Amino acid sequence: IFALDANSRPSFPPIKPASSSSETNVWDTILRDTGLESIWVQSSYLEITGEPFNPKKPFVVSVNKMRGPSSNQPSKIGEHQLELIDHVFTNGKKSKIVTSVALNNKELVPTAPLLYKSKEGEAELNLYPSSKMPSDHLPVVVDISLETHTHVSLLHFTQL
């Protein structure tokens, strides 16, 4: 299991790192170098290429925020960021996204991913953080089924 805030969405353009002869991005590097699968792909939110599975809701997101005037990144103040930058990769083949979590057994807290058809409208009206979700990243909650491997050695003795 490999979970991270990659600050990189699957569709980020590839770059050529100094240590490599080919272009890549975070998504492609993790898939290529680890042999793990994305839970977004396993749960049919994204294609293996990182493109959205559902073209009617192409914005699959774990972050929906707009920085305010007290931001440490002044160049991003007022910029709407609707991104999928939080990832879980696993070799468990039957992983499932948990779509909400009950807080104190009553109030449901949304979890990633949220799906939007555009950056305007509904997405702009539901920015995070909020009083219900104090982080700008929604939690990524995954139920991962791991296979257990039992190695059994059988010895057969014959009588001479």
Side-chain angles (χ1 to χ4, degrees):
I1 300 169
F2 182 47
L4 72 156
D5 169 357
N7 280 323
S8 177
R9 63 182 176 271
S11 58
F12 267 16
I15 60 166
K16 186 175 177 264
S19 62
S20 175
S21 60
S22 61
E23 290 187 335
T24 189
N25 63 21
V26 172
W27 175 266
D28 291 337
T29 299
I30 291 170
L31 293 177
R32 181 192 67 225
D33 293 351
T34 66
L36 300 175
E37 293 181 326
S38 165
I39 49 93
W40 305 126
V41 173
Q42 288 181 356
S43 299
S44 298
Y45 288 103
L46 295 180
E47 301 285 350
I48 189 84
T49 60
E51 295 300 314
F53 189 78
N54 181 353
K56 292 181 181 180
K57 296 232 176 167
F59 291 91
V60 180
V61 303
S62 60
V63 171
N64 182 18
K65 68 181 175 183
M66 187 177 297
R67 287 186 172 86
S70 62
S71 173
N72 289 336
Q73 296 177 306
S75 65
K76 294 184 177 181
I77 292 173
E79 179 185 332
H80 185 197
Q81 293 184 293
L82 196 62
E83 306 283 355
L84 183 67
I85 58 176
D86 301 286
H87 302 282
V88 177
F89 297 89
T90 177
N91 61 357
K93 304 293 183 197
K94 297 179 184 175
S95 304
K96 293 181 185 164
I97 300 291
V98 177
T99 56
S100 65
V101 174
L103 187 63
N104 297 325
N105 291 324
K106 46 187 168 184
E107 186 176 6
L108 290 181
V109 174
T111 61
L114 296 180
L115 305 173
Y116 295 103
K117 62 181 176 180
S118 76
K119 286 184 83 166
E120 291 79 32
E122 183 186 1
E124 292 174 313
L125 296 173
N126 294 297
L127 298 173
Y128 293 99
S130 69
S131 59
K132 194 179 212 181
M133 176 54 57
S135 173
D136 59 342
H137 292 251
L138 291 168
V140 177
V141 182
V142 185
D143 182 4
I144 300 175
S145 296
L146 299 176
E147 294 179 21
T148 57
H149 297 281
T150 305
H151 180 73
V152 178
S153 294
L154 297 176
L155 298 177
H156 180 72
F157 294 98
T158 56
Q159 255 182 334
L160 296 178

